[in-house]
Amino acid sequence: MGGTRYFVVYGNYAPSPFVLYGRFINTNGSPASDTIRLAAANGPIYHTDVAYSGTNFMVIWVEMPSPCILKGVIVSNNGIPIVNAFTIATGVNYDKSAHVIFNGVNYFVTYSRQNGTIYELWGQHYNTTGSPVGNVVRITSTPYSAIYGDIAVGTNSRYLNVWGEYRMNNYDIYANIDIEMVAIREEIDRGKTTNPLKATFVKDLIELVNTDEEAEVLDVTGRYLGRTNKGLYDCSRLNTGTYFILMKPRRNFKVIKIK
């Protein structure tokens, strides 16, 4: 749903030329636009998905033949591509195993990618301009193939991941809640009983206690913003949102939210 109308995306499987298309549809089912050409493909388009940020769309699709490629493009709310199409992953499963969702800050793309003889679910955050955010994250750790995945935004900054897992000549449904929306897991120092960060929710000042270690402040894209001085950092100039504190030299992360 893009504002007051739907945005439908699809691609042709055959014949060539292979093209990704979009079209706006009114809530009563009538066309709200002509067919829009979004991107050209190098092979048959087997699967598509789309998510809306409130400002623009992220459209993803799987291109055949094997090994299949997962690609993406950012499209304005008028249906105009605002970046060139980009590759998200290679060696992906083509059976409806790729999805994109918007978490309120970034898009999150999940897909089933081949590793040896099995498929694993992986994910990657992208910002609203199509740039990757954080690291690629592995969603499943099962020794069995995981495909036909789906995803939903959950509580406590987590995702609900659901997939079909191939066991004993049949598929069973499995799920987990284990990927943080910020794409970087929070690590703690197992050797200490106290957390050096005084608070998780802060307003004007980040304060470290009981430590002389230096810490860096990063935004959600990993961009360096500054460092603490004697355990203090003035964050009053920063916008509301999620940030990271990188403790050195232990390389441990702490997630904070500035109000």
Side-chain angles (χ1 to χ4, degrees), residues 11-34:
N12 61 311
Y13 181 83
S16 64
F18 308 107
V19 179
L20 176 73
Y21 297 102
R23 192 172 193 180
F24 289 99
I25 304 296
N26 292 315
T27 55
N28 64 3
S30 63
S33 74
D34 294 330

PDB file of all heavy atoms in Angstrom, residues 11-34:
ATOM      1  N   GLY A  11       7.003  -9.296 -13.066  1.00  0.00           N
ATOM      2  CA  GLY A  11       7.942  -9.384 -14.176  1.00  0.00           C
ATOM      3  C   GLY A  11       7.557 -10.512 -15.097  1.00  0.00           C
ATOM      4  O   GLY A  11       6.816 -11.420 -14.707  1.00  0.00           O
ATOM      5  N   ASN A  12       8.058 -10.474 -16.325  1.00  0.00           N
ATOM      6  CA  ASN A  12       7.708 -11.529 -17.258  1.00  0.00           C
ATOM      7  C   ASN A  12       8.721 -12.670 -17.199  1.00  0.00           C
ATOM      8  O   ASN A  12       9.934 -12.457 -17.162  1.00  0.00           O
ATOM      9  CB  ASN A  12       7.574 -10.992 -18.685  1.00  0.00           C
ATOM     10  CG  ASN A  12       8.858 -10.390 -19.220  1.00  0.00           C
ATOM     11  OD1 ASN A  12       9.482  -9.583 -18.546  1.00  0.00           O
ATOM     12  ND2 ASN A  12       9.229 -10.777 -20.422  1.00  0.00           N
ATOM     13  N   TYR A  13       8.191 -13.885 -17.162  1.00  0.00           N
ATOM     14  CA  TYR A  13       9.021 -15.085 -17.138  1.00  0.00           C
ATOM     15  C   TYR A  13       9.462 -15.462 -18.547  1.00  0.00           C
ATOM     16  O   TYR A  13      10.558 -15.970 -18.756  1.00  0.00           O
ATOM     17  CB  TYR A  13       8.226 -16.228 -16.493  1.00  0.00           C
ATOM     18  CG  TYR A  13       8.991 -17.516 -16.385  1.00  0.00           C
ATOM     19  CD1 TYR A  13       9.868 -17.725 -15.324  1.00  0.00           C
ATOM     20  CD2 TYR A  13       8.841 -18.526 -17.331  1.00  0.00           C
ATOM     21  CE1 TYR A  13      10.578 -18.906 -15.213  1.00  0.00           C
ATOM     22  CE2 TYR A  13       9.542 -19.704 -17.232  1.00  0.00           C
ATOM     23  CZ  TYR A  13      10.416 -19.892 -16.174  1.00  0.00           C
ATOM     24  OH  TYR A  13      11.123 -21.063 -16.073  1.00  0.00           O
ATOM     25  N   ALA A  14       8.598 -15.226 -19.523  1.00  0.00           N
ATOM     26  CA  ALA A  14       8.889 -15.490 -20.934  1.00  0.00           C
ATOM     27  C   ALA A  14       7.839 -14.764 -21.762  1.00  0.00           C
ATOM     28  O   ALA A  14       6.714 -14.546 -21.317  1.00  0.00           O
ATOM     29  CB  ALA A  14       8.869 -17.002 -21.217  1.00  0.00           C
ATOM     30  N   PRO A  15       8.145 -14.391 -22.979  1.00  0.00           N
ATOM     31  CA  PRO A  15       9.469 -14.454 -23.611  1.00  0.00           C
ATOM     32  C   PRO A  15      10.297 -13.221 -23.277  1.00  0.00           C
ATOM     33  O   PRO A  15       9.830 -12.325 -22.583  1.00  0.00           O
ATOM     34  CB  PRO A  15       9.104 -14.494 -25.102  1.00  0.00           C
ATOM     35  CG  PRO A  15       7.884 -13.620 -25.183  1.00  0.00           C
ATOM     36  CD  PRO A  15       7.109 -13.899 -23.918  1.00  0.00           C
ATOM     37  N   SER A  16      11.527 -13.178 -23.790  1.00  0.00           N
ATOM     38  CA  SER A  16      12.352 -11.989 -23.627  1.00  0.00           C
ATOM     39  C   SER A  16      11.832 -10.894 -24.564  1.00  0.00           C
ATOM     40  O   SER A  16      11.140 -11.196 -25.542  1.00  0.00           O
ATOM     41  CB  SER A  16      13.812 -12.323 -23.938  1.00  0.00           C
ATOM     42  OG  SER A  16      13.950 -12.707 -25.303  1.00  0.00           O
ATOM     43  N   PRO A  17      12.113  -9.615 -24.306  1.00  0.00           N
ATOM     44  CA  PRO A  17      12.985  -9.117 -23.243  1.00  0.00           C
ATOM     45  C   PRO A  17      12.325  -9.212 -21.869  1.00  0.00           C
ATOM     46  O   PRO A  17      11.102  -9.090 -21.737  1.00  0.00           O
ATOM     47  CB  PRO A  17      13.223  -7.661 -23.634  1.00  0.00           C
ATOM     48  CG  PRO A  17      12.007  -7.286 -24.413  1.00  0.00           C
ATOM     49  CD  PRO A  17      11.606  -8.517 -25.163  1.00  0.00           C
ATOM     50  N   PHE A  18      13.152  -9.440 -20.857  1.00  0.00           N
ATOM     51  CA  PHE A  18      12.658  -9.623 -19.490  1.00  0.00           C
ATOM     52  C   PHE A  18      12.646  -8.272 -18.782  1.00  0.00           C
ATOM     53  O   PHE A  18      13.669  -7.601 -18.677  1.00  0.00           O
ATOM     54  CB  PHE A  18      13.542 -10.622 -18.750  1.00  0.00           C
ATOM     55  CG  PHE A  18      13.723 -11.907 -19.503  1.00  0.00           C
ATOM     56  CD1 PHE A  18      14.936 -12.200 -20.121  1.00  0.00           C
ATOM     57  CD2 PHE A  18      12.682 -12.807 -19.624  1.00  0.00           C
ATOM     58  CE1 PHE A  18      15.112 -13.385 -20.820  1.00  0.00           C
ATOM     59  CE2 PHE A  18      12.838 -13.993 -20.320  1.00  0.00           C
ATOM     60  CZ  PHE A  18      14.057 -14.282 -20.931  1.00  0.00           C
ATOM     61  N   VAL A  19      11.482  -7.894 -18.267  1.00  0.00           N
ATOM     62  CA  VAL A  19      11.304  -6.553 -17.701  1.00  0.00           C
ATOM     63  C   VAL A  19      10.522  -6.643 -16.400  1.00  0.00           C
ATOM     64  O   VAL A  19       9.585  -7.454 -16.279  1.00  0.00           O
ATOM     65  CB  VAL A  19      10.560  -5.633 -18.699  1.00  0.00           C
ATOM     66  CG1 VAL A  19      10.360  -4.244 -18.101  1.00  0.00           C
ATOM     67  CG2 VAL A  19      11.313  -5.537 -20.011  1.00  0.00           C
ATOM     68  N   LEU A  20      10.905  -5.818 -15.442  1.00  0.00           N
ATOM     69  CA  LEU A  20      10.161  -5.670 -14.187  1.00  0.00           C
ATOM     70  C   LEU A  20       9.207  -4.492 -14.355  1.00  0.00           C
ATOM     71  O   LEU A  20       9.614  -3.399 -14.758  1.00  0.00           O
ATOM     72  CB  LEU A  20      11.131  -5.401 -13.035  1.00  0.00           C
ATOM     73  CG  LEU A  20      10.497  -5.140 -11.672  1.00  0.00           C
ATOM     74  CD1 LEU A  20       9.945  -6.433 -11.084  1.00  0.00           C
ATOM     75  CD2 LEU A  20      11.512  -4.508 -10.717  1.00  0.00           C
ATOM     76  N   TYR A  21       7.939  -4.720 -14.020  1.00  0.00           N
ATOM     77  CA  TYR A  21       6.913  -3.700 -14.185  1.00  0.00           C
ATOM     78  C   TYR A  21       6.249  -3.377 -12.846  1.00  0.00           C
ATOM     79  O   TYR A  21       6.304  -4.157 -11.889  1.00  0.00           O
ATOM     80  CB  TYR A  21       5.827  -4.179 -15.142  1.00  0.00           C
ATOM     81  CG  TYR A  21       6.279  -4.446 -16.549  1.00  0.00           C
ATOM     82  CD1 TYR A  21       6.496  -5.748 -17.001  1.00  0.00           C
ATOM     83  CD2 TYR A  21       6.481  -3.406 -17.449  1.00  0.00           C
ATOM     84  CE1 TYR A  21       6.903  -6.003 -18.307  1.00  0.00           C
ATOM     85  CE2 TYR A  21       6.885  -3.644 -18.756  1.00  0.00           C
ATOM     86  CZ  TYR A  21       7.099  -4.943 -19.173  1.00  0.00           C
ATOM     87  OH  TYR A  21       7.503  -5.187 -20.459  1.00  0.00           O
ATOM     88  N   GLY A  22       5.597  -2.226 -12.800  1.00  0.00           N
ATOM     89  CA  GLY A  22       4.774  -1.835 -11.666  1.00  0.00           C
ATOM     90  C   GLY A  22       3.522  -1.132 -12.149  1.00  0.00           C
ATOM     91  O   GLY A  22       3.481  -0.603 -13.262  1.00  0.00           O
ATOM     92  N   ARG A  23       2.509  -1.125 -11.307  1.00  0.00           N
ATOM     93  CA  ARG A  23       1.277  -0.404 -11.644  1.00  0.00           C
ATOM     94  C   ARG A  23       0.537  -0.055 -10.366  1.00  0.00           C
ATOM     95  O   ARG A  23       0.437  -0.879  -9.445  1.00  0.00           O
ATOM     96  CB  ARG A  23       0.378  -1.230 -12.550  1.00  0.00           C
ATOM     97  CG  ARG A  23      -0.763  -0.421 -13.158  1.00  0.00           C
ATOM     98  CD  ARG A  23      -1.521  -1.214 -14.187  1.00  0.00           C
ATOM     99  NE  ARG A  23      -2.406  -0.349 -14.965  1.00  0.00           N
ATOM    100  CZ  ARG A  23      -3.206  -0.776 -15.944  1.00  0.00           C
ATOM    101  NH1 ARG A  23      -3.223  -2.057 -16.278  1.00  0.00           N
ATOM    102  NH2 ARG A  23      -3.972   0.078 -16.599  1.00  0.00           N
ATOM    103  N   PHE A  24       0.035   1.169 -10.290  1.00  0.00           N
ATOM    104  CA  PHE A  24      -0.769   1.591  -9.155  1.00  0.00           C
ATOM    105  C   PHE A  24      -2.223   1.172  -9.368  1.00  0.00           C
ATOM    106  O   PHE A  24      -2.761   1.287 -10.473  1.00  0.00           O
ATOM    107  CB  PHE A  24      -0.687   3.104  -8.966  1.00  0.00           C
ATOM    108  CG  PHE A  24       0.650   3.566  -8.447  1.00  0.00           C
ATOM    109  CD1 PHE A  24       1.609   4.074  -9.316  1.00  0.00           C
ATOM    110  CD2 PHE A  24       0.945   3.486  -7.098  1.00  0.00           C
ATOM    111  CE1 PHE A  24       2.834   4.493  -8.848  1.00  0.00           C
ATOM    112  CE2 PHE A  24       2.169   3.897  -6.611  1.00  0.00           C
ATOM    113  CZ  PHE A  24       3.122   4.403  -7.496  1.00  0.00           C
ATOM    114  N   ILE A  25      -2.833   0.705  -8.266  1.00  0.00           N
ATOM    115  CA  ILE A  25      -4.217   0.240  -8.286  1.00  0.00           C
ATOM    116  C   ILE A  25      -4.991   0.950  -7.184  1.00  0.00           C
ATOM    117  O   ILE A  25      -4.526   1.024  -6.038  1.00  0.00           O
ATOM    118  CB  ILE A  25      -4.304  -1.284  -8.087  1.00  0.00           C
ATOM    119  CG1 ILE A  25      -3.469  -2.019  -9.145  1.00  0.00           C
ATOM    120  CG2 ILE A  25      -5.752  -1.754  -8.117  1.00  0.00           C
ATOM    121  CD1 ILE A  25      -3.959  -1.838 -10.566  1.00  0.00           C
ATOM    122  N   ASN A  26      -6.156   1.480  -7.508  1.00  0.00           N
ATOM    123  CA  ASN A  26      -6.999   2.109  -6.498  1.00  0.00           C
ATOM    124  C   ASN A  26      -7.531   1.074  -5.521  1.00  0.00           C
ATOM    125  O   ASN A  26      -7.528  -0.134  -5.790  1.00  0.00           O
ATOM    126  CB  ASN A  26      -8.170   2.833  -7.165  1.00  0.00           C
ATOM    127  CG  ASN A  26      -7.718   4.042  -7.961  1.00  0.00           C
ATOM    128  OD1 ASN A  26      -6.900   4.828  -7.487  1.00  0.00           O
ATOM    129  ND2 ASN A  26      -8.255   4.192  -9.168  1.00  0.00           N
ATOM    130  N   THR A  27      -8.003   1.550  -4.364  1.00  0.00           N
ATOM    131  CA  THR A  27      -8.517   0.636  -3.344  1.00  0.00           C
ATOM    132  C   THR A  27      -9.781  -0.086  -3.772  1.00  0.00           C
ATOM    133  O   THR A  27     -10.165  -1.084  -3.167  1.00  0.00           O
ATOM    134  CB  THR A  27      -8.775   1.390  -2.035  1.00  0.00           C
ATOM    135  OG1 THR A  27      -9.642   2.501  -2.295  1.00  0.00           O
ATOM    136  CG2 THR A  27      -7.474   1.903  -1.433  1.00  0.00           C
ATOM    137  N   ASN A  28     -10.437   0.398  -4.826  1.00  0.00           N
ATOM    138  CA  ASN A  28     -11.622  -0.299  -5.344  1.00  0.00           C
ATOM    139  C   ASN A  28     -11.265  -1.289  -6.448  1.00  0.00           C
ATOM    140  O   ASN A  28     -12.140  -1.908  -7.050  1.00  0.00           O
ATOM    141  CB  ASN A  28     -12.669   0.693  -5.854  1.00  0.00           C
ATOM    142  CG  ASN A  28     -12.184   1.512  -7.038  1.00  0.00           C
ATOM    143  OD1 ASN A  28     -11.075   1.309  -7.535  1.00  0.00           O
ATOM    144  ND2 ASN A  28     -13.002   2.466  -7.482  1.00  0.00           N
ATOM    145  N   GLY A  29      -9.950  -1.434  -6.732  1.00  0.00           N
ATOM    146  CA  GLY A  29      -9.490  -2.397  -7.714  1.00  0.00           C
ATOM    147  C   GLY A  29      -9.305  -1.848  -9.108  1.00  0.00           C
ATOM    148  O   GLY A  29      -8.825  -2.572  -9.987  1.00  0.00           O
ATOM    149  N   SER A  30      -9.636  -0.601  -9.356  1.00  0.00           N
ATOM    150  CA  SER A  30      -9.472  -0.020 -10.680  1.00  0.00           C
ATOM    151  C   SER A  30      -8.043   0.492 -10.866  1.00  0.00           C
ATOM    152  O   SER A  30      -7.386   0.897  -9.905  1.00  0.00           O
ATOM    153  CB  SER A  30     -10.457   1.124 -10.880  1.00  0.00           C
ATOM    154  OG  SER A  30     -10.203   2.163  -9.950  1.00  0.00           O
ATOM    155  N   PRO A  31      -7.535   0.482 -12.094  1.00  0.00           N
ATOM    156  CA  PRO A  31      -6.178   0.985 -12.338  1.00  0.00           C
ATOM    157  C   PRO A  31      -6.056   2.465 -11.990  1.00  0.00           C
ATOM    158  O   PRO A  31      -6.931   3.268 -12.293  1.00  0.00           O
ATOM    159  CB  PRO A  31      -5.972   0.752 -13.839  1.00  0.00           C
ATOM    160  CG  PRO A  31      -6.959  -0.317 -14.194  1.00  0.00           C
ATOM    161  CD  PRO A  31      -8.141  -0.092 -13.303  1.00  0.00           C
ATOM    162  N   ALA A  32      -4.947   2.824 -11.339  1.00  0.00           N
ATOM    163  CA  ALA A  32      -4.682   4.220 -10.996  1.00  0.00           C
ATOM    164  C   ALA A  32      -3.530   4.789 -11.811  1.00  0.00           C
ATOM    165  O   ALA A  32      -3.188   5.963 -11.652  1.00  0.00           O
ATOM    166  CB  ALA A  32      -4.374   4.337  -9.503  1.00  0.00           C
ATOM    167  N   SER A  33      -2.929   3.956 -12.681  1.00  0.00           N
ATOM    168  CA  SER A  33      -1.835   4.419 -13.526  1.00  0.00           C
ATOM    169  C   SER A  33      -1.678   3.457 -14.685  1.00  0.00           C
ATOM    170  O   SER A  33      -2.243   2.350 -14.689  1.00  0.00           O
ATOM    171  CB  SER A  33      -0.518   4.494 -12.738  1.00  0.00           C
ATOM    172  OG  SER A  33       0.003   3.195 -12.506  1.00  0.00           O
ATOM    173  N   ASP A  34      -0.901   3.872 -15.655  1.00  0.00           N
ATOM    174  CA  ASP A  34      -0.492   2.947 -16.708  1.00  0.00           C
ATOM    175  C   ASP A  34       0.583   2.010 -16.166  1.00  0.00           C
ATOM    176  O   ASP A  34       1.119   2.216 -15.061  1.00  0.00           O
ATOM    177  CB  ASP A  34       0.067   3.728 -17.905  1.00  0.00           C
ATOM    178  CG  ASP A  34      -0.995   4.568 -18.593  1.00  0.00           C
ATOM    179  OD1 ASP A  34      -2.177   4.161 -18.558  1.00  0.00           O
ATOM    180  OD2 ASP A  34      -0.646   5.633 -19.149  1.00  0.00           O
TER     181      ASP A  34
END
